[in-house]
Amino acid sequence: MNYKDNIAEIDKVNDVIKRYCDGLHYADVEKLRNIFCDCAVLKTPGIRRTREEWLALVSRRSVPFEQGEQYNYKVISLDIVGDQALVKLYCPLLGREYLDFLGLLKEQGQWRIVNKMYADI
């Protein structure tokens, strides 16, 4: 992959991450559904959730935007190797602070989140 191709892929992954942050901030379940692979699993020690289980929780929780929360999500690191990417994201949400570790794969020309691990910091 040459430099220009790599920059283009970084931009595409960043676009997915922007949509992820928007989906969290505005509790936009459809936006989140569209960027997660249907087989994605969300994990933290002792908890495993399917995409649909997690989206159901998002749909029922408070909406950060409506709570007046600032939009302060920040990419800490982004690594791409071929058609795989790993993003470490600072994610302040509903009075808590999380680090999200998002695994993405590029399949059929599209980047999608296939794995989410997170830690409450």
Short mmCIF file of all heavy atoms in Angstrom, two decimals, residues 41-67:
data_model
loop_
_atom_site.label_atom_id
_atom_site.label_comp_id
_atom_site.label_asym_id
_atom_site.label_seq_id
_atom_site.Cartn_x
_atom_site.Cartn_y
_atom_site.Cartn_z
N VAL A 41 -19.32 -8.48 18.43
CA VAL A 41 -19.51 -8.76 19.85
C VAL A 41 -18.86 -7.63 20.63
O VAL A 41 -17.76 -7.19 20.31
CB VAL A 41 -18.88 -10.11 20.24
CG1 VAL A 41 -19.03 -10.36 21.73
CG2 VAL A 41 -19.52 -11.24 19.44
N LEU A 42 -19.56 -7.15 21.65
CA LEU A 42 -19.06 -6.09 22.51
C LEU A 42 -18.66 -6.73 23.83
O LEU A 42 -19.45 -7.47 24.42
CB LEU A 42 -20.14 -5.02 22.70
CG LEU A 42 -20.47 -4.31 21.39
CD1 LEU A 42 -21.54 -5.03 20.63
CD2 LEU A 42 -20.81 -2.89 21.62
N LYS A 43 -17.43 -6.44 24.27
CA LYS A 43 -16.87 -7.18 25.39
C LYS A 43 -16.22 -6.26 26.41
O LYS A 43 -15.58 -5.27 26.05
CB LYS A 43 -15.78 -8.13 24.88
CG LYS A 43 -16.23 -9.08 23.82
CD LYS A 43 -15.03 -9.79 23.22
CE LYS A 43 -15.47 -10.57 22.00
NZ LYS A 43 -14.33 -11.06 21.25
N THR A 44 -16.38 -6.63 27.64
CA THR A 44 -15.62 -6.10 28.76
C THR A 44 -15.55 -7.25 29.75
O THR A 44 -16.34 -8.20 29.63
CB THR A 44 -16.30 -4.83 29.33
OG1 THR A 44 -15.39 -4.13 30.18
CG2 THR A 44 -17.59 -5.12 30.05
N PRO A 45 -14.62 -7.26 30.68
CA PRO A 45 -14.53 -8.41 31.58
C PRO A 45 -15.86 -8.78 32.21
O PRO A 45 -16.54 -7.95 32.81
CB PRO A 45 -13.51 -7.95 32.63
CG PRO A 45 -12.61 -7.04 31.86
CD PRO A 45 -13.56 -6.28 30.94
N GLY A 46 -16.26 -10.02 31.99
CA GLY A 46 -17.51 -10.55 32.55
C GLY A 46 -18.76 -10.24 31.77
O GLY A 46 -19.85 -10.70 32.14
N ILE A 47 -18.66 -9.46 30.69
CA ILE A 47 -19.85 -9.09 29.90
C ILE A 47 -19.58 -9.35 28.43
O ILE A 47 -18.54 -8.98 27.91
CB ILE A 47 -20.22 -7.61 30.10
CG1 ILE A 47 -20.57 -7.32 31.55
CG2 ILE A 47 -21.39 -7.21 29.18
CD1 ILE A 47 -20.79 -5.85 31.86
N ARG A 48 -20.52 -9.98 27.77
CA ARG A 48 -20.50 -10.16 26.32
C ARG A 48 -21.88 -9.78 25.81
O ARG A 48 -22.89 -10.22 26.36
CB ARG A 48 -20.21 -11.61 25.92
CG ARG A 48 -18.92 -12.20 26.47
CD ARG A 48 -17.71 -11.52 25.86
NE ARG A 48 -16.46 -12.14 26.26
CZ ARG A 48 -15.78 -11.85 27.37
NH1 ARG A 48 -16.25 -10.96 28.21
NH2 ARG A 48 -14.65 -12.45 27.66
N ARG A 49 -21.92 -8.96 24.77
CA ARG A 49 -23.20 -8.56 24.18
C ARG A 49 -23.11 -8.65 22.67
O ARG A 49 -22.10 -8.25 22.08
CB ARG A 49 -23.55 -7.12 24.56
CG ARG A 49 -23.88 -6.95 26.01
CD ARG A 49 -24.43 -5.55 26.29
NE ARG A 49 -24.78 -5.44 27.69
CZ ARG A 49 -24.10 -4.74 28.58
NH1 ARG A 49 -23.04 -4.05 28.22
NH2 ARG A 49 -24.48 -4.70 29.84
N THR A 50 -24.19 -9.10 22.07
CA THR A 50 -24.27 -9.05 20.61
C THR A 50 -24.54 -7.61 20.20
O THR A 50 -24.90 -6.77 21.03
CB THR A 50 -25.41 -9.93 20.08
OG1 THR A 50 -26.67 -9.37 20.53
CG2 THR A 50 -25.29 -11.38 20.55
N ARG A 51 -24.41 -7.35 18.93
CA ARG A 51 -24.72 -6.02 18.42
C ARG A 51 -26.14 -5.62 18.79
O ARG A 51 -26.38 -4.52 19.27
CB ARG A 51 -24.53 -5.98 16.90
CG ARG A 51 -24.91 -4.63 16.28
CD ARG A 51 -24.87 -4.65 14.78
NE ARG A 51 -26.01 -5.40 14.26
CZ ARG A 51 -26.33 -5.46 12.98
NH1 ARG A 51 -25.60 -4.85 12.08
NH2 ARG A 51 -27.38 -6.15 12.59
N GLU A 52 -27.09 -6.51 18.57
CA GLU A 52 -28.50 -6.17 18.82
C GLU A 52 -28.79 -5.98 20.30
O GLU A 52 -29.59 -5.10 20.67
CB GLU A 52 -29.43 -7.22 18.19
CG GLU A 52 -29.37 -7.21 16.66
CD GLU A 52 -29.61 -5.84 16.04
OE1 GLU A 52 -30.57 -5.14 16.43
OE2 GLU A 52 -28.82 -5.45 15.15
N GLU A 53 -28.17 -6.76 21.17
CA GLU A 53 -28.34 -6.57 22.61
C GLU A 53 -27.83 -5.19 23.02
O GLU A 53 -28.49 -4.46 23.78
CB GLU A 53 -27.60 -7.65 23.40
CG GLU A 53 -28.24 -9.01 23.31
CD GLU A 53 -27.35 -10.11 23.88
OE1 GLU A 53 -26.11 -9.96 23.90
OE2 GLU A 53 -27.92 -11.13 24.30
N TRP A 54 -26.67 -4.82 22.50
CA TRP A 54 -26.09 -3.52 22.82
C TRP A 54 -26.93 -2.37 22.27
O TRP A 54 -27.19 -1.38 22.95
CB TRP A 54 -24.65 -3.45 22.29
CG TRP A 54 -24.01 -2.13 22.51
CD1 TRP A 54 -23.67 -1.55 23.70
CD2 TRP A 54 -23.62 -1.21 21.49
NE1 TRP A 54 -23.09 -0.32 23.48
CE2 TRP A 54 -23.04 -0.09 22.13
CE3 TRP A 54 -23.68 -1.23 20.11
CZ2 TRP A 54 -22.55 1.00 21.43
CZ3 TRP A 54 -23.18 -0.15 19.41
CH2 TRP A 54 -22.63 0.96 20.07
N LEU A 55 -27.40 -2.50 21.03
CA LEU A 55 -28.22 -1.44 20.43
C LEU A 55 -29.52 -1.25 21.20
O LEU A 55 -30.01 -0.12 21.33
CB LEU A 55 -28.49 -1.74 18.96
CG LEU A 55 -27.28 -1.64 18.04
CD1 LEU A 55 -27.65 -2.08 16.62
CD2 LEU A 55 -26.66 -0.25 18.05
N ALA A 56 -30.08 -2.33 21.72
CA ALA A 56 -31.30 -2.21 22.54
C ALA A 56 -31.01 -1.38 23.79
O ALA A 56 -31.83 -0.54 24.19
CB ALA A 56 -31.82 -3.59 22.91
N LEU A 57 -29.84 -1.57 24.39
CA LEU A 57 -29.46 -0.77 25.56
C LEU A 57 -29.28 0.70 25.18
O LEU A 57 -29.73 1.59 25.91
CB LEU A 57 -28.17 -1.31 26.17
CG LEU A 57 -28.26 -2.68 26.83
CD1 LEU A 57 -26.86 -3.17 27.22
CD2 LEU A 57 -29.17 -2.63 28.05
N VAL A 58 -28.64 0.95 24.05
CA VAL A 58 -28.44 2.33 23.58
C VAL A 58 -29.78 3.01 23.36
O VAL A 58 -29.97 4.18 23.72
CB VAL A 58 -27.58 2.37 22.29
CG1 VAL A 58 -27.57 3.77 21.68
CG2 VAL A 58 -26.16 1.88 22.58
N SER A 59 -30.75 2.28 22.81
CA SER A 59 -32.06 2.88 22.51
C SER A 59 -32.84 3.25 23.77
O SER A 59 -33.71 4.10 23.73
CB SER A 59 -32.89 1.94 21.63
OG SER A 59 -33.34 0.83 22.38
N ARG A 60 -32.50 2.61 24.90
CA ARG A 60 -33.24 2.85 26.14
C ARG A 60 -32.54 3.81 27.10
O ARG A 60 -33.15 4.27 28.06
CB ARG A 60 -33.49 1.52 26.87
CG ARG A 60 -34.44 0.60 26.14
CD ARG A 60 -34.86 -0.58 27.00
NE ARG A 60 -33.75 -1.40 27.47
CZ ARG A 60 -33.31 -2.50 26.87
NH1 ARG A 60 -33.86 -2.92 25.76
NH2 ARG A 60 -32.30 -3.18 27.40
N ARG A 61 -31.28 4.09 26.86
CA ARG A 61 -30.54 4.94 27.79
C ARG A 61 -30.75 6.42 27.48
O ARG A 61 -31.30 6.78 26.44
CB ARG A 61 -29.05 4.59 27.77
CG ARG A 61 -28.36 4.98 26.48
CD ARG A 61 -26.87 5.01 26.69
NE ARG A 61 -26.08 5.04 25.49
CZ ARG A 61 -25.92 6.09 24.68
NH1 ARG A 61 -26.57 7.21 24.91
NH2 ARG A 61 -25.15 6.03 23.61
N SER A 62 -30.28 7.25 28.39
CA SER A 62 -30.34 8.69 28.17
C SER A 62 -29.51 9.05 26.93
O SER A 62 -28.55 8.36 26.60
CB SER A 62 -29.77 9.44 29.37
OG SER A 62 -30.54 9.18 30.52
N VAL A 63 -29.89 10.14 26.29
CA VAL A 63 -29.18 10.61 25.10
C VAL A 63 -28.19 11.69 25.55
O VAL A 63 -28.61 12.73 26.06
CB VAL A 63 -30.17 11.17 24.06
CG1 VAL A 63 -29.43 11.69 22.84
CG2 VAL A 63 -31.19 10.10 23.67
N PRO A 64 -26.89 11.45 25.38
CA PRO A 64 -25.90 12.43 25.84
C PRO A 64 -26.16 13.85 25.32
O PRO A 64 -26.05 14.81 26.09
CB PRO A 64 -24.58 11.86 25.31
CG PRO A 64 -24.81 10.38 25.27
CD PRO A 64 -26.25 10.25 24.84
N PHE A 65 -26.49 13.99 24.06
CA PHE A 65 -26.77 15.31 23.49
C PHE A 65 -27.89 16.00 24.24
O PHE A 65 -27.79 17.19 24.59
CB PHE A 65 -27.12 15.18 22.01
CG PHE A 65 -27.55 16.47 21.39
CD1 PHE A 65 -26.64 17.47 21.11
CD2 PHE A 65 -28.89 16.69 21.11
CE1 PHE A 65 -27.05 18.68 20.56
CE2 PHE A 65 -29.32 17.89 20.55
CZ PHE A 65 -28.39 18.88 20.27
N GLU A 66 -28.96 15.26 24.52
CA GLU A 66 -30.11 15.84 25.23
C GLU A 66 -29.78 16.16 26.68
O GLU A 66 -30.45 16.99 27.29
CB GLU A 66 -31.31 14.89 25.15
CG GLU A 66 -31.87 14.76 23.75
CD GLU A 66 -32.95 13.71 23.64
OE1 GLU A 66 -33.29 13.05 24.65
OE2 GLU A 66 -33.47 13.54 22.51
N GLN A 67 -28.76 15.51 27.23
CA GLN A 67 -28.31 15.77 28.60
C GLN A 67 -27.34 16.94 28.67
O GLN A 67 -26.85 17.29 29.74
CB GLN A 67 -27.66 14.52 29.18
CG GLN A 67 -28.56 13.31 29.25
CD GLN A 67 -29.71 13.50 30.22
OE1 GLN A 67 -29.54 14.03 31.30
NE2 GLN A 67 -30.89 13.09 29.81
#
